[in-house]
Amino acid sequence: MGDFDDINARGLVLVGCGRMGGAMLTGWLARGLEPGSATVIDPKIADGWKGRGLRLNAPLPDDPAVLVLAVKPQMMADALGGMPRLGETLVISVAAGTTIATFEDAFPGAAIVRVMPNTPAAIGQGISAMIGNGAATEAHLDLAETLMRAVGRVVRLDHEDQMDAVTGLSGSGPAYVFHLIEAMAKAGEAQGLPPALSLELARMTVAGAGALAIEDDEDPGVLRENVTSPGGTTAAGLKVLMDPETGLPPLMARTVAAATERGRELGRGGK
């Protein structure tokens, strides 16, 4: 049996087909989801999804295998036209900052899995963290993991309160890396490189180092030491970057802490 057999038989509903929803749908279709089994609810659906056999803004099927929520909860009721009645449906949320309890109120008794992906999912290079509620069985978690593996790697959390730290680290983290590329490119310019050349060097250095860190699966500290000759250029640069008071470690700690705390505020209903 294929991973999508039950879903193709019972149907999948995707609410929200923006950047993240669209990336997931692309991955699912490539891995065996039949277009006719997918009901996509999005009032602003991109034209590129039309004419591909999907059920676009169609009535919801009865008791689909999965309901995937890729919109903010305040938009959900509008998108769905009220909450559907579900039987054995697994509800998966990729809405950042929205607690399982919020969805348990909307879908009483349902198995719910909360997932935090990140934007590299758009090219199948995401990392998603997931946690289920009390009604979510191992089979439900396996199904959620199968769906999220379509856009990258998946990790499972022990407690929902870990999700805010995940959001602060990997959810928001791509933006930190993009800013690192910006900062490295500007620094290269300051040392006399033309802007386009400096940007290309910075972009490929970050991308290549990230790929090497995954490929080698080595402690990143060891990879760093492998590049660092005593008294050499890298050592001179790292002396500044690794300063315990003014360098990257305390700055990154503050950055992730600020994003994590903001996630907690939003989870408590903060503005």
Side-chain angles (χ1 to χ4, degrees):
M1 278 181 60
D3 288 339
F4 285 88
D5 289 355
D6 187 48
I7 294 173
N8 285 331
R10 295 173 54 201
L12 175 148
V13 177
L14 173 64
V15 184
C17 195
R19 191 166 167 80
M20 186 59 69
M24 293 191 297
L25 183 56
T26 298
W28 300 335
L29 292 169
R31 283 162 176 76
L33 175 66
E34 292 170 5
S37 298
T39 304
V40 183
I41 308 296
D42 190 327
K44 299 174 182 169
I45 190 83
D47 288 342
W49 291 108
K50 295 170 183 173
R52 295 174 60 176
L54 299 159
R55 302 180 71 250
L56 302 180
N57 296 311
L60 298 186
D62 288 329
D63 193 26
V66 193
L67 171 64
V68 182
L69 305 169
V71 292
K72 293 279 186 270
Q74 56 268 32
M75 298 164 62
M76 205 161 51
D78 287 346
L80 287 173
M83 293 301 161
R85 272 214 284 270
L86 306 172
E88 300 298 310
T89 302
L90 169 63
V91 177
I92 298 176
S93 161
V94 295
T98 309
T99 60
I100 285 172
T102 302
F103 294 109
E104 287 179 331
D105 289 343
F107 305 102
I112 295 164
V113 175
R114 180 181 169 193
V115 181
M116 181 73 218
N118 62 3
T119 55
I123 57 165
Q125 296 290 319
I127 179 81
S128 301
M130 53 180 257
I131 183 85
N133 70 344
T137 64
E138 197 62 28
H140 287 129
L141 292 170
D142 287 345
L143 176 56
E145 185 167 329
T146 294
L147 288 170
M148 296 314 300
R149 272 205 308 268
V151 292
R153 297 193 184 191
V154 181
V155 295
R156 298 192 187 191
L157 305 181
D158 298 320
H159 307 287
E160 190 182 9
D161 58 13
Q162 295 173 313
M163 198 60 91
D164 294 316
V166 168
T167 304
L169 178 59
S170 59
S172 301
Y176 312 157
V177 177
F178 299 145
H179 188 51
L180 174 66
I181 294 171
E182 287 182 294
M184 287 175 69
K186 287 291 183 202
E189 280 183 57
Q191 296 305 316
L193 294 173
L197 173 62
S198 194
L199 176 57
E200 180 70 355
L201 291 168
R203 209 161 23 197
M204 282 307 296
T205 298
V206 171
L212 183 60
I214 292 170
E215 187 71 27
D216 262 18
D217 199 21
E218 179 65 89
D219 183 296
V222 172
L223 294 176
R224 170 178 51 75
E225 288 163 5
N226 290 346
V227 187
T228 312
S229 308
T233 58
T234 308
L238 285 173
K239 186 177 179 186
V240 176
L241 193 67
M242 294 178 68
D243 188 289
E245 290 173 12
T246 60
L248 187 61
L251 180 61
M252 190 55 71
R254 295 199 306 275
T255 299
V256 174
T260 301
E261 184 49 41
R262 183 62 182 144
R264 290 193 185 110
E265 287 173 5
L266 292 170
R268 291 191 292 262
K271 293 286 189 287

